[in-house]
């Protein structure tokens, strides 16, 4: 793995600084009460620079969008030899539930505040739906590629839809996330294997 160069590190730091400033302001005052100009000022960048890193105000709150999709696809593409796709996807979700502490893990105080912000703003709910639809399509395409198909089968599309729907369920059941994850994959394992 190559180490990013100085320019890439600086860009990544600027992007992270903008996202952090936006999240702080959104958590303090709410999404609709904060302007893009205020976020740029808090991050010490121009509005033009802000929009070079983020395509919209909504995207500022979903700064992990690309990384989440890449991880989801990698759960299939980069799984260990001999591991089936269902096990690969379950392992990915287990890492999200049982992994190292993170502000965005189920049950965290910041995640609850993040959810309140997104629930209160229709534009954020719409953005989140579009984002997860893209993730679902990317996962279905990767499942098809993994099976040597040019197009996702109905089973690929359904599995992708169900898997993308699991994280919100886990957030709702934060105290019993692992139990719900195990139940979801017990159902998935039998259904997907039979439908392929």
């Amino acid at each position: 793995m190559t180490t990013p160069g100085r320019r890439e590190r600086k860009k990544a730091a600027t992007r992270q600084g903008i996202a952090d400033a936006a999240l702080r302001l959104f958590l303090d005052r709410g999404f609709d009460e904060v302007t893009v100009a205020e976020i740029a000022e808090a991050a010490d960048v121009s509005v033009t620079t802000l929009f070079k890193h983020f395509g919209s105000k909504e995207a500022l709150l979903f700064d992990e969008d690309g990384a989440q999709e890449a991880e989801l696809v990698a759960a299939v593409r980069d799984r260990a030899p001999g591991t089936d796709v269902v096990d690969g996807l379950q392992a990915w979700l287990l890492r999200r539930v049982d992994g190292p502490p993170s502000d965005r893990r189920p049950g965290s105080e910041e995640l609850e505040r993040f959810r309140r912000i997104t629930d209160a703003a229709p534009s954020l709910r719409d953005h989140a739906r579009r984002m997860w639809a893209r993730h679902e399509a990317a996962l279905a395409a990767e499942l098809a590629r993994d099976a040597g198909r040019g197009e996702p089968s109905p089973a690929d599309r359904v599995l992708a839809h169900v898997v993308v729907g699991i994280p919100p369920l886990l957030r709702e059941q934060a105290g019993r996330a692992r139990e719900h994850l195990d139940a979801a994959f017990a159902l998935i394992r039998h259904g997907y294997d039979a439908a392929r």
Side-chain angles (χ1 to χ4, degrees):
M1 185 168 137
T2 60
T3 304
R6 184 171 169 264
R7 182 178 175 156
E8 288 77 21
R9 289 194 311 270
K10 188 173 180 181
K11 282 174 67 174
T14 298
R15 179 181 169 81
Q16 190 61 55
I18 294 168
D20 290 346
L23 183 59
R24 277 193 309 274
L25 289 169
F26 294 154
L27 289 172
D28 287 344
R29 294 175 29 213
F31 180 78
D32 291 329
E33 281 65 43
V34 177
T35 69
V36 170
E38 289 173 318
I39 296 165
E41 184 178 331
D44 196 25
V45 298
S46 69
V47 171
T48 302
T49 298
L50 184 149
F51 280 121
K52 284 181 183 175
H53 291 275
F54 297 92
S56 67
K57 182 181 173 185
E58 289 77 15
L60 287 160
L61 198 56
F62 294 94
D63 60 301
E64 298 174 3
D65 178 11
Q68 285 178 337
E69 183 173 308
E71 285 179 19
L72 184 55
V73 168
V76 174
R77 185 189 60 232
D78 301 337
R79 68 190 189 277
T83 303
D84 70 23
V85 294
V86 173
D87 286 338
L89 289 165
Q90 184 174 15
W92 173 71
L93 281 162
L94 274 172
R95 285 190 299 274
R96 292 177 62 95
V97 170
D98 294 340
S102 162
D103 289 336
R104 299 277 175 97
R105 278 185 52 201
S108 75
E109 183 180 333
E110 184 165 322
L111 178 60
E112 292 308 310
R113 292 171 70 197
F114 177 86
R115 285 182 56 216
R116 283 195 296 274
I117 291 169
T118 56
D119 289 348
S123 64
L124 289 174
R125 290 194 304 271
D126 290 344
H127 185 89
R129 276 193 288 273
R130 288 191 304 273
M131 178 187 75
W132 284 108
R134 285 193 313 275
H135 296 350
E136 183 179 320
L139 177 57
E142 184 59 28
L143 290 166
R145 188 208 59 75
D146 184 75
R149 291 186 285 273
E151 290 289 320
S153 69
D156 295 332
R157 292 182 197 283
V158 171
L159 177 59
H161 182 75
V162 171
V163 168
V164 164
I166 291 174
L169 170 67
L170 300 182
R171 287 192 296 271
E172 293 295 327
Q173 303 294 331
R176 298 173 60 199
R178 179 66 185 268
E179 183 182 344
H180 282 76
L181 180 62
D182 291 344
F185 273 89
L187 291 169
I188 287 169
R189 186 166 318 287
H190 299 294
Y192 184 66
D193 290 344
R196 292 201 306 175

